[in-house]
Amino acid sequence: MKINLLKLTGISAIVLSSFPAFSAESDRKDFDGFLEFEFPWHKASVWKVITGKVVDEKNLGVPGVGVQNITTGQGTVTDANGQFKIDANENEVIRFTYLGYQTQNVTIAAQTTLNIKLAVSADTKLDDVVVVGYGTRSQRELTSAITKVDTSQFRQSGARNALDLLQGKVAGLQITRSSSNPNSGVAIQLRGVTSISGTSSPLIVIDGIPGGNLDLLQQDDIESFSVLKDGSAAAIYGTRANAGVILVTTKKGRKGPSQFNYNGYVKHETLYERPDFMNASQFREKIASGQYNAKDFGGDFSYFDDIINKDNLTNYQNLSVSGGGDKSNYRGSFTYNRLDGFSRENSREQYQFRMSLTQKGFKDRVTASFNVASNINKANLLGGSGWENVLTKNPTESYYNPDGSYLFTRNITNEVARLEQETNRRSQQTYSADGKIDVDILTGLKASAFVAYQRNQFVDNQYRTLGSQNSVENGDSPGGGYAYKGTELNENFNFEPTIEYSKTINDKHRLTGMLGYSYRYEVNESFSANNRGYTNDIFEENNLGSVPIGINRVGLGSNKNDNTLIALFGRVHYTYDGKVNFEAVLRREGSSRFGANNKWASFPAVSASYEITREKFMENMKWLNFLKIRAGYGETGNSGFANYASLVTLSTGNLYPFPNGEWLQTYGPSRNPNPNLRWERKREYNFGVDFSMLNNKLSGSIDLFKRNIIDLLDTYTSPQPPFVQSSIYTNVGTISAKGLELTLSYQAIKKDNFSWNIDFAGSTIDNKLDTYSNEVYKRDMRTFGGIGGAGDLGDAFRTYEGRNIGEFWGKRFAGFTPEGKWTFFNKNGVAVPNAQINTSPFRDQTDLALIGNAIPKYYLSLGNKFTYKQWDLNIFLRSKLDFDVLNTLALSYGNKFGTQGNLLNSAFTKYAEINDTYMYSDYYLEKGSFLKVDEVTLGYTFKFNDKAFRSLRVYAVGQNLALLTGYSGNDPDLIQDTGLGQEINGRSLGIDTRSPYPTTRQFVFGVNFGF
């Protein structure tokens, strides 16, 4: 059931109502110390002066520590050397608080001096080590916009892809999965659109391997993600970092006795919602009443249910062992995972092994580490589609002939027969091996060498039997079987030596410098063959030559391409007195993909941070525990386009007779050369604030960014001559973006037996195509988003120079004539028939207008984590607000005109006036805003007295439990919200599909066991 979502403005409605500090029932003690008053009737006392010093775990004085007499309310902070002075009486309590360390209470006795040593708090993230690319930093030292997400923050509902763990967890990171198909991918976008035709997804780096394969990751093998969001953080990765960088760190062994960990779960999916098409009774009723002109075949069928896998059960099992000593540590894991789709013949079964080993030697001056990972999987790719066919088939007509054989009609595919008579399977093997050696040459001087190899290979097998619809209806070889086999191999090799120097001077100045070299070689090759006309189904695709090769029946293809990337890079990080940090980065990179005149590029970055609360002038701001400001600028690039795009390539022409009587193959140029082809370049500014307040109960960060991407890559019309071909791939145009990201964490309640923590992430962005032309190549706009379906309706998006990305441009509905014909407003606001609408591409001439935008204005998520004794409960909400969706299901099947198949029930209610052809306009554009109860997890952790058993937790998870929206189509959360409108994973930005994979609820039951 859907409930209309009330209009929300900004982010306040989803955040403030969840914070006890802003509610009527708020505990007054949450604000103790925020305002202080002295009352004349306060009992007089003779206080003594308590002095002392506060040091950290390294016995260094800590400035800015909050020191408060919680009996009287008097407070102060430590000075630059960690020393303090405060008045107190005997039996009064002095509290010491500092972000990142445990709060300490000391009851005053006869002493007048206190020496306090702070202990690092388990609740803080400030001193967490964050992977930043070719190194690590503590959260306190970060100067760029980097978000770390560790295992405690991962989603719990069973990840099909490693990035599923991050959905809704990082402000500014959009992860969209268009269905629960286990073989589908995710669309990823960080801080908006960064390219028209180049790579638009962040670079994935797994344990230092750029371009890491996500198939090699299972949720229980991942330690953390670090998302490098801004240019100053990502510049160290040069021409592959325009869309941001996601660093993945896998789990490693630690010093201690051997530990075994097991995690297993099962997951079942149930139907949440399906499009509201007529059943057989409703279909007959509409025919009988004269509302619909169609044929009644006398049956009652719902083949939607016949292609559903109602007994689906996903099974996940992971076992790991880890341990280590003073010189070495190890970790190994094995995972079995069978993912059952909600569709029949739609599954993925995989086996994965991962092993890591670290060894020290030569008096601990040399450390060697090795990682090996493999994934072997088999995927059934046949199912997962065909939903439009079964939904729109006449529900009174059978899929079978009277004799029980399958009924084939050329106007629609028999999906039940297809699933029985065809096969489409993939067998895939992915491997990765890497090693790193660190050598401590001198004190503070370390050299490293990293080498990695990845290999990914798959074989596709397809067969369609002699009796299948595809074979029976084929015109070249009617009734002959069809077979296909294809294989692809991708390999890459990485070598990266680095040298790093670190020096501390007078305990206040710390300098770290790093230099490195990177070499990467990639090679990809593929081969495919198909044949048709088989006279039996015995060999299937395993004997392609068993039928004679004939004209129009055989297909052959092969390909091989490679590229090389070389880079030199360096970074300098300086820290002053633990409160000021400065960082500078430079990467010089060359790629074989670039044109001859632009083989090399340089990518600089600078950033700085200032921890204001360490200053003496902040000592009276008792309600503010921590405040740091960050600012950075960085340049990155995009080389994510086809190999050889800058070179002339040849392709085959026709066969021609030569004078000697032979027929010979001809070749000719298929691509124009472009020696000036270069990388897209992004220039980005970022300003951020990190804070903690109210006795460290409320913490968070705010980031403001502005970016410009220049030298956009796209295909333009080229003059002939001098060019041979009519198009050329070149650099023209700019895209800009600016936005705001907010992350909050609130410790609402923390008692001995009960706690409640709230986490919020929100972002908003404005994305524009600023220019799309230069002095040579002119283009005012680009269209995207093919609408498809009945009628030649063109593209839904027009992205003009100087306008926002994601704009729907179309006709403005003006009403229906008494006969049910469309009328639309022209540019003068006059209602006219469709035939009088000018659809010119020129802005000053066209009657088409801006009618909506497909990109959500706000992305919001809210996590609530409760613990009570050994119970834990997590409730996770997600929302996207203020965006439009084109309901193509209603456009095609809410219209009674010109079809005799099944229709939506709304064709006779909401859309009953239509008596005209299919038409794209704002009539079918709807608001897609929604709020979703995305994930609820309930767990219980058992306690054991036996030390051999470390932990046991059982848990249950429900996903996609409730949806509040005013949108009448499919789940708006599954509608693509990344890109400019081009197809990604079979979906386009803002366009609801006509063939929706069913929306499901998922239920997970699992156990974690450690011994």
Side-chain angles (χ1 to χ4, degrees):
M1 179 180 70
K2 296 183 180 178
I3 305 171
N4 286 338
L5 179 64
L6 295 177
K7 183 177 180 181
L8 301 179
T9 301
I11 60 176
S12 59
I14 194 173
V15 184
L16 299 184
S17 62
S18 298
F19 278 50
F22 300 102
S23 68
E25 298 177 1
S26 175
D27 188 342
R28 183 189 58 82
K29 292 183 291 182
D30 289 349
F31 290 93
D32 282 350
F34 185 81
L35 295 173
E36 295 183 330
F37 299 90
E38 291 185 6
F39 300 98
W41 55 84
H42 192 282
K43 182 178 179 180
S45 299
V46 179
W47 291 315
K48 54 186 175 181
V49 177
I50 306 298
T51 60
K53 185 176 183 179
V54 180
V55 298
D56 60 15
E57 70 276 16
K58 298 178 182 178
N59 293 317
L60 299 175
V62 183
V65 176
V67 183
Q68 184 181 32
N69 185 327
I70 63 174
T71 306
T72 66
Q74 181 192 9
T76 185
V77 294
T78 57
D79 63 17
N81 298 314
Q83 296 178 339
F84 68 91
K85 181 171 62 176
I86 193 170
D87 294 333
N89 236 334
E90 289 188 16
N91 298 319
E92 293 182 343
V93 177
I94 305 298
R95 174 174 292 170
F96 298 86
T97 58
Y98 192 66
L99 187 62
Y101 294 88
Q102 296 177 6
T103 297
Q104 294 188 34
N105 294 329
V106 178
T107 302
I108 301 300
Q111 77 271 40
T112 58
T113 302
L114 293 176
N115 292 310
I116 304 298
K117 186 171 185 178
L118 296 177
V120 176
S121 171
D123 296 330
T124 185
K125 300 295 182 182
L126 270 185
D127 291 286
D128 275 1
V129 174
V130 180
V131 179
V132 296
Y134 303 102
T136 59
R137 293 276 181 273
S138 71
Q139 288 272 15
R140 188 181 295 275
E141 294 176 328
L142 292 180
T143 57
S144 302
I146 301 176
T147 299
K148 179 182 178 181
V149 181
D150 60 25
T151 53
S152 65
Q153 300 164 287
F154 290 170
R155 297 184 56 129
Q156 303 293 308
S157 49
R160 286 164 285 159
N161 179 295
L163 295 182
D164 287 338
L165 300 169
L166 288 178
Q167 190 177 31
K169 299 294 184 177
V170 179
L173 179 65
Q174 284 84 58
I175 297 176
T176 307
R177 182 177 284 282
S178 59
S179 76
S180 59
N181 186 331
N183 296 308
S184 66
V186 292
I188 319 164
Q189 187 170 280
L190 181 61
R191 290 187 166 182
V193 175
T194 57
S195 182
I196 292 177
S197 64
T199 298
S200 58
S201 296
L203 173 69
I204 306 297
V205 181
I206 302 174
D207 287 335
I209 306 176
N213 193 312
L214 292 173
D215 285 335
L216 292 170
L217 292 174
Q218 295 295 328
Q219 60 185 53
D220 286 295
D221 291 330
I222 302 173
E223 181 73 29
S224 66
F225 296 91
S226 290
V227 183
L228 313 186
K229 298 199 286 187
D230 70 344
S232 64
I236 196 73
Y237 287 101
T239 61
R240 291 168 294 173
N242 249 20
V245 182
I246 299 178
L247 308 176
V248 186
T249 303
T250 61
K251 293 178 179 177
K252 306 294 189 295
R254 292 184 173 88
K255 179 180 178 181
S258 296
Q259 293 187 356
F260 294 82
N261 289 282
Y262 166 80
N263 181 28
Y265 66 77
V266 293
K267 178 167 70 172
H268 178 66
E269 298 184 48
T270 62
L271 182 65
Y272 178 69
E273 188 176 52
R274 58 175 284 184
D276 185 25
F277 279 80
M278 291 184 288
N279 58 33
S281 297
Q282 293 167 329
F283 195 83
R284 288 192 184 92
E285 178 188 337
K286 297 300 185 294
I287 295 174
S289 64
Q291 298 180 68
Y292 191 37
N293 181 22
K295 186 174 180 180
D296 181 0
F297 291 92
D300 189 345
F301 305 101
S302 177
Y303 287 107
F304 178 90
D305 296 328
D306 288 337
I307 67 171
I308 285 176
N309 179 14
K310 296 179 181 139
D311 298 324
N312 68 88
L313 191 68
T314 289
N315 180 8
Y316 175 89
Q317 310 291 325
N318 175 273
L319 177 66
S320 66
V321 57
S322 62
D326 293 331
K327 302 293 184 181
S328 64
N329 59 62
Y330 62 89
R331 185 181 186 275
S333 70
F334 174 79
T335 302
Y336 169 77
N337 192 8
R338 176 179 172 83
L339 299 97
D340 254 3
F342 192 67
S343 169
R344 285 177 52 200
E345 302 298 326
N346 181 215
S347 63
R348 181 182 180 91
E349 186 175 35
Q350 54 189 9
Y351 303 84
Q352 179 160 315
F353 171 79
R354 177 174 287 274
M355 182 72 190
S356 66
L357 173 66
T358 302
Q359 179 68 48
K360 292 184 177 181
F362 294 96
K363 298 182 180 180
D364 295 342
R365 299 180 72 89
V366 176
T367 301
S369 58
F370 305 93
N371 297 287
V372 178
S374 66
N375 180 293
I376 300 173
N377 71 74
K378 295 181 179 180
N380 189 345
L381 306 176
L382 183 64
S385 61
W387 304 105
E388 182 178 12
N389 288 335
V390 295
L391 288 169
T392 60
K393 182 175 174 60
N394 186 323
T396 69
E397 182 182 16
S398 176
Y399 263 145
Y400 299 88
N401 292 306
D403 63 358
S405 61
Y406 289 114
L407 171 67
F408 298 141
T409 56
R410 288 187 175 271
N411 65 327
I412 193 167
T413 300
N414 186 324
E415 294 295 337
V416 175
R418 187 180 68 86
L419 295 179
E420 293 290 342
Q421 297 178 322
E422 299 183 14
T423 58
N424 185 358
R425 295 185 175 90
R426 172 172 291 180
S427 177
Q428 183 175 11
Q429 301 86 39
T430 307
Y431 304 97
S432 172
D434 66 81
K436 184 179 182 183
I437 296 179
D438 298 317
V439 181
D440 293 327
I441 302 173
L442 298 170
T443 301
L445 181 64
K446 180 175 73 174
S448 301
F450 174 77
V451 62
Y453 171 75
Q454 283 191 122
R455 177 187 176 93
N456 179 42
Q457 183 176 20
F458 62 81
V459 178
D460 287 341
N461 294 272
Q462 299 178 22
Y463 187 72
R464 300 163 192 169
T465 64
L466 278 65
S468 69
Q469 186 171 2
N470 180 272
S471 297
V472 170
E473 296 181 352
N474 181 264
D476 295 323
S477 182
Y482 169 86
Y484 167 89
K485 188 178 284 285
T487 181
E488 185 169 323
L489 173 64
N490 307 304
E491 296 177 282
N492 64 68
F493 174 80
N494 293 267
F495 174 60
E496 294 182 334
T498 59
I499 188 166
E500 183 175 0
Y501 180 72
S502 181
K503 178 70 173 178
T504 301
I505 304 172
N506 297 330
D507 294 330
K508 284 194 174 184
H509 307 274
R510 184 158 53 85
L511 183 67
T512 301
M514 182 268 295
L515 291 173
Y517 168 83
S518 178
Y519 171 84
R520 179 179 175 89
Y521 175 72
E522 294 180 347
V523 58
N524 311 297
E525 54 183 302
S526 63
F527 173 81
S528 64
N530 64 78
N531 202 355
R532 186 183 289 278
Y534 295 92
T535 57
N536 65 70
D537 295 324
I538 297 174
F539 298 116
E540 297 183 327
E541 70 276 7
N542 300 311
N543 192 350
L544 293 178
S546 64
V547 62
I549 296 175
I551 297 175
N552 297 328
R553 294 194 312 191
V554 68
L556 291 173
S558 64
N559 177 61
K560 186 173 183 179
N561 60 85
D562 65 353
N563 75 85
T564 302
L565 184 147
I566 297 174
L568 297 169
F569 53 89
R571 177 172 58 207
V572 176
H573 187 98
Y574 168 72
T575 301
Y576 170 70
D577 201 21
K579 61 186 177 183
V580 177
N581 291 274
F582 174 82
E583 187 165 287
V585 172
L586 179 64
R587 184 175 178 110
R588 178 73 172 166
E589 188 167 83
S591 172
S592 62
R593 287 177 172 170
F594 302 150
N597 299 332
N598 288 295
K599 287 295 183 187
W600 289 86
S602 297
F603 302 95
V606 291
S607 57
S609 68
Y610 175 32
E611 190 174 328
I612 301 174
T613 40
R614 282 182 176 259
E615 298 292 356
K616 186 176 179 61
F617 62 78
M618 295 292 293
E619 63 185 16
N620 293 322
M621 305 287 285
K622 301 178 181 62
W623 58 274
L624 184 62
N625 307 104
F626 174 80
L627 179 64
K628 183 178 78 172
I629 58 174
R630 295 177 278 104
Y633 169 80
E635 297 186 11
T636 54
N638 188 349
S639 58
F641 52 90
N643 295 330
Y644 318 135
S646 66
L647 305 177
V648 173
T649 55
L650 299 179
S651 63
T652 57
N654 293 321
L655 292 171
Y656 286 95
F658 275 59
N660 61 1
E662 290 185 87
W663 288 77
L664 298 180
Q665 178 69 63
T666 61
Y667 296 87
S670 58
R671 177 187 289 136
N672 286 322
N674 185 358
N676 296 317
L677 189 69
R678 57 191 178 275
W679 56 97
E680 296 176 339
R681 182 183 292 272
K682 181 182 71 179
R683 296 166 176 165
E684 182 169 13
Y685 299 87
N686 192 94
F687 177 78
V689 178
D690 303 320
F691 60 89
S692 182
M693 60 181 65
L694 305 179
N695 200 23
N696 295 323
K697 296 188 73 172
L698 176 63
S699 60
S701 63
I702 302 171
D703 278 280
L704 295 165
F705 66 89
K706 187 180 188 320
R707 52 169 53 168
N708 287 285
I709 301 99
I710 64 173
D711 295 332
L712 294 177
L713 292 160
D714 205 0
T715 301
Y716 284 77
T717 300
S718 55
Q720 295 174 281
F723 294 103
V724 176
Q725 292 293 322
S726 60
S727 64
I728 188 169
Y729 195 61
T730 188
N731 301 89
V732 179
T734 61
I735 287 177
S736 67
K738 56 185 177 182
L740 167 69
E741 298 163 353
L742 173 65
T743 301
L744 297 172
S745 181
Y746 185 62
Q747 192 179 86
I749 300 173
K750 186 177 182 181
K751 304 292 184 182
D752 290 339
N753 290 325
F754 180 72
S755 68
W756 177 19
N757 290 307
I758 303 169
D759 293 303
F760 169 82
S763 64
T764 183
I765 190 171
D766 182 54
N767 221 167
K768 282 186 170 63
L769 177 65
D770 293 315
T771 63
Y772 205 29
S773 303
N774 62 15
E775 62 279 2
V776 178
Y777 301 102
K778 305 293 183 182
R779 184 183 290 171
D780 183 44
M781 66 111 180
R782 172 80 179 269
T783 66
F784 301 95
I787 298 169
D792 185 12
L793 301 180
D795 291 342
F797 300 103
R798 286 187 174 186
T799 305
Y800 284 100
E801 281 190 317
R803 297 202 61 91
N804 284 338
I805 289 170
E807 290 184 342
F808 287 104
W809 278 70
K811 301 166 187 175
R812 294 173 294 160
F813 177 63
F816 294 105
T817 67
E819 297 77 28
K821 305 302 180 183
W822 297 97
T823 64
F824 302 101
F825 292 110
N826 63 19
K827 63 181 180 180
N828 298 318
V830 178
V832 298
N834 177 61
Q836 297 180 23
I837 291 293
N838 184 341
T839 60
S840 167
F842 301 106
R843 280 187 267 191
D844 60 343
Q845 299 177 21
T846 185
D847 288 327
L848 303 187
L850 171 64
I851 57 176
N853 194 295
I855 298 177
K857 181 81 171 172
Y858 303 102
Y859 288 87
L860 311 173
S861 67
L862 186 68
N864 291 270
K865 182 176 182 179
F866 304 88
T867 63
Y868 176 69
K869 295 185 178 180
Q870 290 152 258
W871 291 93
D872 61 87
L873 173 66
N874 289 271
I875 302 174
F876 186 64
L877 311 176
R878 279 193 306 111
S879 178
K880 301 175 188 178
L881 300 177
D882 196 5
F883 68 106
D884 300 291
V885 176
L886 177 59
N887 190 341
T888 61
L889 202 62
L891 188 156
S892 294
Y893 301 111
N895 187 337
K896 304 183 296 294
F897 185 87
T899 182
Q900 290 190 332
N902 202 359
L903 296 175
L904 293 165
N905 277 300
S906 56
F908 305 93
T909 54
K910 181 177 180 180
Y911 307 110
E913 286 186 77
I914 304 173
N915 185 29
D916 203 347
T917 188
Y918 305 99
M919 197 67 62
Y920 162 54
S921 74
D922 58 357
Y923 183 75
Y924 293 109
L925 216 59
E926 300 182 41
K927 294 298 181 183
S929 297
F930 71 87
L931 173 64
K932 173 177 284 191
V933 181
D934 202 21
E935 187 176 87
V936 176
T937 304
L938 178 64
Y940 184 83
T941 303
F942 294 87
K943 292 183 178 179
F944 297 99
N945 294 324
D946 189 343
K947 294 183 178 179
F949 298 95
R950 292 185 295 107
S951 63
L952 173 62
R953 178 176 179 264
V954 294
Y955 61 95
V957 186
Q959 188 178 20
N960 196 28
L961 296 181
L963 175 68
L964 284 77
T965 183
Y967 179 61
S968 65
N970 304 304
D971 185 345
D973 186 30
L974 303 180
I975 295 169
Q976 195 78 25
D977 60 350
T978 61
L980 295 98
Q982 67 272 51
E983 189 173 289
I984 303 173
N985 296 325
R987 299 291 181 90
S988 294
L989 173 70
I991 300 177
D992 197 354
T993 178
R994 294 175 176 83
S995 188
Y997 196 101
T999 303
T1000 63
R1001 287 190 176 100
Q1002 292 101 43
F1003 298 95
V1004 178
F1005 301 93
V1007 58
N1008 299 117
F1009 187 33
F1011 54 95

